[in-house]
């Protein structure tokens, strides 16, 4: 599962944002189910940032958000992200020089059950 939180940060606030993003990334990285994470900045416009994390499952990500350190450091930062969907499930993937592997969705067939 991939989580992408996008941010628009004023250039003069970039140093503070970066410090807070590093702390959030460290808190998330300490949680069970965390696979990897990156702080990214757009090449074309340095005001645009992305905090990308990858998780074993939706459940591990949701449980991670309940951790004390995550509540203190990451959740306030994530609340500042662009208001858009941020969690994505993997439906297909391909390694270098490999075939595309399709994965079934974890979503319920009927979401209201």
């Amino acid at each position: 599962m991939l989580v992408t939180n996008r941010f628009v940060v004023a250039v003069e606030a970039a140093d503070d944002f970066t410090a807070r993003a590093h702390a959030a990334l460290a808190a998330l990285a300490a949680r069970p189910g965390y696979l990897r994470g990156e702080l990214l900045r757009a090449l074309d416009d340095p005001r645009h940032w992305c905090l990308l994390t990858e998780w074993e499952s939706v459940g591990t990500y949701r449980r991670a958000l309940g951790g004390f350190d995550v509540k203190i450091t990451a959740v306030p930062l994530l609340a500042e992200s662009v208001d858009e969907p941020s969690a994505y499930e993997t439906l297909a993937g391909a390694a270098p020089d490999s075939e595309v592997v399709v994965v079934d969705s974890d979503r319920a067939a009927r979401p209201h059950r």
Side-chain angles (χ1 to χ4, degrees):
M1 179 197 152
L2 193 66
V3 179
T4 60
N5 294 99
R6 295 185 319 116
F7 302 86
V8 179
V9 179
V11 173
E12 60 274 8
D15 288 343
D16 177 63
F17 171 79
T18 301
R20 293 185 307 123
H22 289 175
L25 192 56
L28 291 166
R31 302 301 301 168
Y34 175 91
L35 299 177
R36 70 181 182 95
E38 300 176 51
L39 177 62
L40 309 146
R41 185 173 58 193
L43 294 172
D44 297 331
D45 186 342
R47 296 173 302 138
H48 291 259
W49 295 75
C50 180
L51 183 64
L52 180 136
T53 56
E54 187 174 1
W55 298 86
E56 288 177 358
S57 66
V58 172
T60 58
Y61 172 64
R62 289 185 176 159
R63 283 188 293 280
L65 294 177
F68 179 77
D69 287 347
V70 172
K71 284 182 183 179
I72 298 301
T73 59
V75 171
L77 182 80
L78 299 179
E80 297 173 20
S81 66
V82 175
D83 187 16
E84 64 184 9
S86 61
Y88 296 86
E89 66 175 334
T90 300
L91 297 177
D97 297 321
S98 296
E99 297 289 323
V100 172
V101 176
V102 177
V103 181
D104 290 333
S105 173
D106 285 336
R107 291 178 53 97
R110 296 185 321 209
H112 301 292
R113 60 179 176 157

